[in-house]
């Protein structure tokens, strides 16, 4: 059996009386895309934030390549190879594209940030991806929502995490930008990353995913191979019209 690049077991995360996640298992493999789907409030973003070190789980374990990890903050998750594109982006609006691409990892010579190197590498990297921004000196705040999202995905690709998490990466994108983001996500898979994408877009999910994990009320309602399921089945698991595999008692009433 192949060891998952990323594996969660029994993850529970509570906020007061609300259990955002309850006994959640997840396995993501190198060179595969796992889509995580579910209704609003199902726990998808909490799951991403737990994996990326923003939240500490109350129970359960996180393993990377079979080794248990405890992430006390996002930097710890990043150094374990986890790159995240958050739903709310977390790009810094007053900084330019090149600086955002290198946040926390500026190329330096002594105390000086190597600005030209940063700009040159950003330009080369975006060109290689076919991403069009007029100038790498443009402040992020000046870009359209779609362009920002593409830059955020590009940054996750550049930082070269071996695990890439994307929370609703196409929610703000038009048709063409969505296609571009989909290509970038396929590239991440081809480079051998374990990719986890949260999305409401069923066309995108069925287009990209190797496996689909359905969350409902903080629990895992089911995991399916893309090739062995249908939209109807996935939507049934999302809404609860189909009974989940592990039972799906409402998060606030279960023991
Ligand atoms: N920081 C938080 N504080 C309190 N409750 C939260 C917090 N984050 C998430 N929740 C709650 O956890 C549940 C799951 O939310 P979330 O993970 O954002 O779901 P999704 O991304 O699937 O829409 C919701 O009931 C939400 O209100
Ligand atoms: Mg969310």
């Amino acid at each position: 059996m192949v060891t998952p690049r990323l594996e969660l077991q029994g993850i529970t995360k509570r906020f007061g009386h609300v259990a955002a996640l309850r006994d959640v298992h997840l396995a993501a493999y190198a060179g595969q895309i796992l889509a995580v789907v579910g209704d609003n409030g199902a726990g998808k973003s909490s799951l991403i934030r737990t994996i990326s070190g923003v939240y500490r789980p109350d129970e359960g374990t996180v393993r990377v390549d079979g080794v248990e990890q405890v992430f006390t903050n996002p930097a710890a998750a990043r150094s374990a190879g986890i790159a995240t594109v958050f739903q709310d982006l977390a790009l810094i609006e007053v900084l330019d594209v090149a600086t955002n691409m290198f946040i926390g990892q500026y190329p330096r010579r002594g105390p000086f940030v190597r600005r030209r190197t940063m700009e040159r590498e950003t330009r080369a990297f975006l060109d290689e991806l076919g991403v069009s921004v007029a100038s790498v000196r443009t402040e992020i705040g000046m870009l359209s929502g779609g362009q920002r999202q593409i830059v955020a995905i590009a940054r996750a690709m550049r930082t070269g995490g071996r695990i890439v998490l994307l929370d609703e990466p196409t929610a703000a994108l038009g048709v063409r930008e969505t296609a571009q983001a989909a290509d970038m996500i396929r590239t991440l898979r081809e480079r051998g990353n374990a990719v986890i994408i949260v999305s409401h877009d069923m066309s995108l999910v069925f287009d990209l995913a190797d496996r689909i994990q359905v969350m409902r009320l903080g629990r895992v309602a089911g995991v399916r191979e893309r090739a062995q399921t249908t939209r109807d089945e996935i939507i049934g698991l999302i809404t609860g019209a189909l009974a989940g595999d592990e039972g799906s008692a409402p998060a606030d009433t279960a023991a």
Side-chain angles (χ1 to χ4, degrees):
M1 267 215 14
V2 183
T3 304
R5 171 73 51 84
L6 174 75
E7 185 170 31
L8 309 188
Q9 288 182 326
I11 294 285
T12 293
K13 176 66 192 172
R14 298 185 194 89
F15 295 103
H17 294 299
V18 177
L21 300 172
R22 188 176 283 272
D23 193 24
V24 170
H25 293 243
L26 176 150
Y29 295 89
Q32 288 195 9
I33 298 173
L34 174 70
V36 174
V37 302
D39 216 339
N40 287 335
K44 306 178 299 295
S45 291
S46 298
L47 186 59
I48 295 297
R49 292 191 185 120
T50 300
I51 299 168
S52 58
V54 177
Y55 295 159
R56 291 281 300 273
D58 297 300
E59 290 163 37
T61 57
V62 176
R63 286 190 175 76
V64 175
D65 291 323
V67 178
E68 189 170 339
Q69 303 278 349
V70 176
F71 301 136
T72 51
N73 55 56
R78 275 198 298 277
S79 48
I82 297 174
T84 310
V85 180
F86 290 101
Q87 188 164 12
D88 49 14
L89 273 184
L91 292 172
I92 300 180
E93 299 206 1
V94 297
L95 298 179
D96 62 32
V97 171
T99 309
N100 268 280
M101 290 287 283
F102 279 83
I103 280 171
Q105 306 180 316
Y106 302 119
R108 286 177 183 279
R109 179 179 290 140
F112 303 107
V113 171
R114 300 178 66 183
R115 184 74 234 169
R116 291 240 179 84
T117 304
M118 209 163 77
E119 289 181 2
R120 194 176 56 239
E121 288 185 11
T122 298
R123 181 87 260 166
F125 187 73
L126 294 179
D127 286 350
E128 183 195 328
L129 293 174
V131 172
S132 60
V133 290
S135 165
V136 296
R137 294 184 184 173
T138 308
E139 283 181 13
I140 290 292
M142 304 295 289
L143 299 180
S144 72
Q147 284 178 314
R148 287 185 214 195
Q149 190 67 28
I150 297 288
V151 170
I153 300 170
R155 181 176 66 171
M157 295 176 77
R158 199 201 69 80
T159 55
R162 298 176 319 128
I163 299 165
V164 181
L165 316 175
L166 306 114
D167 193 354
E168 299 283 3
T170 63
L173 304 191
V175 174
R176 189 195 294 202
E177 290 163 334
T178 298
Q180 178 163 43
D183 281 343
M184 293 167 82
I185 293 165
R186 280 191 205 92
T187 302
L188 286 166
R189 168 171 57 194
E190 281 157 21
R191 292 182 181 177
N193 291 282
V195 180
I196 301 178
I197 172 177
V198 171
S199 182
H200 278 106
D201 180 343
M202 281 300 141
S203 301
L204 185 76
V205 165
F206 273 79
D207 192 19
L208 286 179
D210 298 288
R211 284 184 310 129
I212 303 170
Q213 174 152 341
V214 182
M215 302 292 300
R216 178 168 160 72
L217 303 170
R219 292 177 181 274
V220 180
V223 185
R224 298 288 184 271
E225 297 287 328
R226 196 261 332 257
Q228 289 167 13
T229 188
T230 61
R231 285 194 193 209
D232 283 349
E233 183 184 30
I234 296 298
I235 288 164
L237 289 167
I238 290 172
T239 61
L242 290 175
D245 297 348
E246 302 178 25
S248 47
D252 54 353
T253 59

mmCIF file of all heavy atoms in Angstrom, residues 15 18 20 39-46 55, ligand 1:
data_model
loop_
_atom_site.group_PDB
_atom_site.id
_atom_site.type_symbol
_atom_site.label_atom_id
_atom_site.label_comp_id
_atom_site.label_asym_id
_atom_site.label_seq_id
_atom_site.Cartn_x
_atom_site.Cartn_y
_atom_site.Cartn_z
ATOM 1 N N PHE A 15 -15.698 24.763 18.070
ATOM 2 C CA PHE A 15 -15.741 26.187 18.416
ATOM 3 C C PHE A 15 -16.868 26.320 19.427
ATOM 4 O O PHE A 15 -18.041 26.312 19.044
ATOM 5 C CB PHE A 15 -16.015 27.048 17.192
ATOM 6 C CG PHE A 15 -14.907 26.997 16.174
ATOM 7 C CD1 PHE A 15 -15.048 26.233 15.027
ATOM 8 C CD2 PHE A 15 -13.721 27.689 16.377
ATOM 9 C CE1 PHE A 15 -14.029 26.178 14.089
ATOM 10 C CE2 PHE A 15 -12.696 27.635 15.443
ATOM 11 C CZ PHE A 15 -12.848 26.875 14.301
ATOM 12 N N VAL A 18 -20.148 24.290 18.871
ATOM 13 C CA VAL A 18 -20.214 23.828 17.478
ATOM 14 C C VAL A 18 -18.996 22.959 17.169
ATOM 15 O O VAL A 18 -17.867 23.364 17.405
ATOM 16 C CB VAL A 18 -20.217 25.032 16.500
ATOM 17 C CG1 VAL A 18 -20.212 24.543 15.052
ATOM 18 C CG2 VAL A 18 -21.410 25.930 16.767
ATOM 19 N N ALA A 20 -17.061 21.971 14.278
ATOM 20 C CA ALA A 20 -16.870 22.253 12.855
ATOM 21 C C ALA A 20 -16.387 20.997 12.138
ATOM 22 O O ALA A 20 -16.703 20.783 10.968
ATOM 23 C CB ALA A 20 -15.866 23.388 12.677
ATOM 24 N N ASP A 39 -21.885 21.339 1.559
ATOM 25 C CA ASP A 39 -22.701 22.541 1.634
ATOM 26 C C ASP A 39 -21.991 23.604 2.477
ATOM 27 O O ASP A 39 -21.008 23.313 3.152
ATOM 28 C CB ASP A 39 -24.046 22.176 2.292
ATOM 29 C CG ASP A 39 -25.195 22.964 1.689
ATOM 30 O OD1 ASP A 39 -24.927 24.032 1.086
ATOM 31 O OD2 ASP A 39 -26.344 22.506 1.822
ATOM 32 N N ASN A 40 -22.522 24.836 2.467
ATOM 33 C CA ASN A 40 -21.979 25.870 3.351
ATOM 34 C C ASN A 40 -22.048 25.387 4.791
ATOM 35 O O ASN A 40 -23.060 24.834 5.210
ATOM 36 C CB ASN A 40 -22.773 27.168 3.218
ATOM 37 C CG ASN A 40 -22.481 27.861 1.909
ATOM 38 O OD1 ASN A 40 -21.414 27.667 1.321
ATOM 39 N ND2 ASN A 40 -23.427 28.655 1.433
ATOM 40 N N GLY A 41 -20.960 25.587 5.521
ATOM 41 C CA GLY A 41 -20.938 25.192 6.925
ATOM 42 C C GLY A 41 -20.594 23.728 7.148
ATOM 43 O O GLY A 41 -20.593 23.254 8.284
ATOM 44 N N ALA A 42 -20.268 23.004 6.070
ATOM 45 C CA ALA A 42 -19.977 21.568 6.200
ATOM 46 C C ALA A 42 -18.647 21.306 6.897
ATOM 47 O O ALA A 42 -18.393 20.196 7.363
ATOM 48 C CB ALA A 42 -19.984 20.908 4.817
ATOM 49 N N GLY A 43 -17.790 22.337 6.936
ATOM 50 C CA GLY A 43 -16.507 22.175 7.608
ATOM 51 C C GLY A 43 -15.302 22.184 6.676
ATOM 52 O O GLY A 43 -14.179 21.934 7.107
ATOM 53 N N LYS A 44 -15.524 22.534 5.410
ATOM 54 C CA LYS A 44 -14.442 22.467 4.422
ATOM 55 C C LYS A 44 -13.304 23.430 4.762
ATOM 56 O O LYS A 44 -12.142 23.036 4.776
ATOM 57 C CB LYS A 44 -14.991 22.771 3.016
ATOM 58 C CG LYS A 44 -16.162 21.887 2.617
ATOM 59 C CD LYS A 44 -16.709 22.256 1.246
ATOM 60 C CE LYS A 44 -17.243 23.678 1.103
ATOM 61 N NZ LYS A 44 -18.437 23.969 1.929
ATOM 62 N N SER A 45 -13.672 24.686 5.043
ATOM 63 C CA SER A 45 -12.606 25.657 5.340
ATOM 64 C C SER A 45 -11.934 25.330 6.665
ATOM 65 O O SER A 45 -10.715 25.507 6.807
ATOM 66 C CB SER A 45 -13.170 27.084 5.367
ATOM 67 O OG SER A 45 -13.551 27.476 4.059
ATOM 68 N N SER A 46 -12.702 24.842 7.628
ATOM 69 C CA SER A 46 -12.088 24.436 8.897
ATOM 70 C C SER A 46 -11.072 23.319 8.669
ATOM 71 O O SER A 46 -10.016 23.285 9.311
ATOM 72 C CB SER A 46 -13.159 23.965 9.881
ATOM 73 O OG SER A 46 -14.049 25.011 10.172
ATOM 74 N N TYR A 55 -5.677 26.449 12.564
ATOM 75 C CA TYR A 55 -6.390 25.913 13.731
ATOM 76 C C TYR A 55 -5.644 24.707 14.277
ATOM 77 O O TYR A 55 -5.087 23.912 13.515
ATOM 78 C CB TYR A 55 -7.802 25.427 13.348
ATOM 79 C CG TYR A 55 -8.774 26.468 12.881
ATOM 80 C CD1 TYR A 55 -9.873 26.088 12.122
ATOM 81 C CD2 TYR A 55 -8.618 27.822 13.191
ATOM 82 C CE1 TYR A 55 -10.801 27.027 11.672
ATOM 83 C CE2 TYR A 55 -9.540 28.761 12.744
ATOM 84 C CZ TYR A 55 -10.622 28.358 11.986
ATOM 85 O OH TYR A 55 -11.540 29.267 11.540
HETATM 86 N N1 LIG B 1 -13.493 30.588 13.715
HETATM 87 C C1 LIG B 1 -14.713 30.051 13.938
HETATM 88 N N2 LIG B 1 -15.407 30.344 15.064
HETATM 89 C C2 LIG B 1 -16.617 29.817 15.284
HETATM 90 N N3 LIG B 1 -17.239 28.968 14.455
HETATM 91 C C3 LIG B 1 -16.605 28.637 13.325
HETATM 92 C C4 LIG B 1 -15.319 29.158 12.994
HETATM 93 N N4 LIG B 1 -14.935 28.642 11.791
HETATM 94 C C5 LIG B 1 -15.937 27.844 11.404
HETATM 95 N N5 LIG B 1 -16.936 27.841 12.296
HETATM 96 C C6 LIG B 1 -18.188 27.071 12.208
HETATM 97 O O1 LIG B 1 -17.846 25.773 11.818
HETATM 98 C C7 LIG B 1 -18.758 25.267 10.861
HETATM 99 C C8 LIG B 1 -18.030 24.905 9.591
HETATM 100 O O2 LIG B 1 -17.609 26.107 8.939
HETATM 101 P P1 LIG B 1 -16.619 26.112 7.700
HETATM 102 O O3 LIG B 1 -15.476 25.244 7.987
HETATM 103 O O4 LIG B 1 -16.342 27.538 7.371
HETATM 104 O O5 LIG B 1 -17.533 25.455 6.574
HETATM 105 P P2 LIG B 1 -17.479 25.524 4.975
HETATM 106 O O6 LIG B 1 -16.149 26.042 4.570
HETATM 107 O O7 LIG B 1 -17.739 24.124 4.545
HETATM 108 O O8 LIG B 1 -18.595 26.443 4.559
HETATM 109 C C9 LIG B 1 -19.819 26.330 10.681
HETATM 110 O O9 LIG B 1 -20.887 26.024 11.552
HETATM 111 C C10 LIG B 1 -19.097 27.588 11.103
HETATM 112 O O10 LIG B 1 -20.011 28.536 11.588
#
